[in-house]
Amino acid sequence: MAEDRKVGISIILKDKMSSAIKKAGNAVSALAAKAEKLKQALGKIAEAAKPFGVLAAAITGAGAATFLLTKRIANNGDQMIKSAQRLTMTTDAFQKFDHIMNISGTSMKEQRGAMTRFARTARDAANGVKIAEEAFQRLNVDVKNSDGSFKTTEQLIFDVSDSFRQMPPTVEKSALMMDLFGRSGAQLAQMMNLGSEGMKELGGEAVRLGGVMEESAAKQSESFVDALTRLKL
């Protein structure tokens, strides 16, 4: 079976990827195994998993175009999990907030700086930085749990949103958004006006629509793309 995969790749990708395949050598079998694991993990995601169902076929017998397409999709999963880690969020929360933001006219990609600013402001508040403390105090939100542990970014956004939703549309409200999220704060106003229940409802919608990749599948994507990188494919 491993030999068949090597032959399949050599025939399919001969024109555009022959040099990369020569470098891959015996490592191709390991790459195929990673692709199969990724396909199995993604098989649990219904509609969102369908594009990934061709990964093994792309490596063993499908055309180069299909392989490149599935590689791009796997790249999306890889980028998503890395972005979530940078924001200290779970992949589940990251994707749900991305859906919520899309409904609100923006995206996690566009608001990466704002979300990073929010996490930093929360950390500063926990460390006693006055201006950061005051921002959360005006919303009557504590950045820590009752046991002294830090709240997750997801929970803090929910808490802030519940308070923000009750505020009248004033200049003070806009200024507060900028204190928490930076210059992009105004673009997040619509999302923050939803309140935690509204956000959770849209997050559930993302799951029902098949738009949330399981963490195991995202990790398989990351592993697959890392393998491609090592093979220079």
Side-chain angles (χ1 to χ4, degrees):
M1 179 65 73
E3 188 64 26
D4 290 341
R5 287 172 177 163
K6 294 177 185 178
V7 173
I9 295 176
S10 296
I11 294 173
I12 297 164
L13 306 179
K14 182 178 180 181
D15 292 333
K16 295 185 178 180
M17 304 180 70
S18 58
S19 61
I21 295 303
K22 289 178 182 178
K23 292 180 181 179
N26 293 332
V28 172
S29 295
L31 176 60
K34 288 181 180 294
E36 181 59 29
K37 288 182 180 180
L38 176 57
K39 190 184 86 168
Q40 292 173 1
L42 291 168
K44 302 177 182 179
I45 311 180
E47 294 298 325
K50 286 183 178 179
F52 289 84
V54 297
L55 273 172
I59 292 177
T60 58
T66 302
F67 177 76
L68 294 174
L69 173 62
T70 53
K71 178 185 175 183
R72 184 176 65 182
I73 297 171
N75 277 333
N76 289 338
D78 176 62
Q79 291 170 9
M80 181 270 293
I81 194 170
K82 285 179 168 61
S83 295
Q85 290 169 347
R86 282 193 290 267
L87 294 173
T88 63
M89 298 179 75
T90 64
T91 57
D92 182 82
F94 182 92
Q95 293 172 96
K96 288 178 178 178
F97 276 120
D98 189 44
H99 179 72
I100 296 167
M101 289 185 186
N102 285 331
I103 296 296
S104 302
T106 185
S107 68
M108 284 293 283
K109 182 178 181 179
E110 292 177 357
Q111 300 303 326
R112 183 173 62 181
M115 296 297 289
T116 301
R117 166 70 177 267
F118 180 83
R120 184 171 63 247
T121 303
R123 184 185 66 240
D124 288 346
N127 291 330
V129 177
K130 187 174 181 180
I131 189 171
E133 279 185 319
E134 291 176 347
F136 284 99
Q137 287 172 356
R138 292 203 299 273
L139 291 166
N140 196 30
V141 170
D142 196 330
V143 297
K144 293 183 179 180
N145 295 304
S146 57
D147 62 0
S149 61
F150 290 102
K151 290 181 179 178
T152 64
T153 302
E154 179 182 18
Q155 186 57 55
L156 274 175
I157 290 176
F158 287 153
D159 291 349
V160 168
S161 180
D162 283 336
S163 295
F164 188 79
R165 186 170 183 266
Q166 299 175 23
M167 295 178 66
T170 61
V171 173
E172 168 64 16
K173 187 174 185 178
S174 298
L176 186 55
M177 284 294 291
M178 291 187 68
D179 287 344
L180 293 173
F181 294 99
R183 294 181 180 180
S184 297
Q187 297 177 29
L188 292 171
Q190 184 175 346
M191 181 187 81
M192 297 304 291
N193 274 320
L194 290 170
S196 60
E197 289 304 313
M199 289 186 183
K200 290 175 182 178
E201 182 177 349
L202 286 176
E205 179 181 84
V207 174
R208 292 192 298 274
L209 292 173
V212 176
M213 182 187 294
E214 291 183 0
E215 185 170 2
S216 60
K219 288 181 177 178
Q220 291 293 346
S221 292
E222 184 179 36
S223 177
F224 179 67
V225 171
D226 288 346
L228 288 176
T229 301
R230 293 187 183 96
L231 295 174
K232 302 186 184 303
L233 291 176

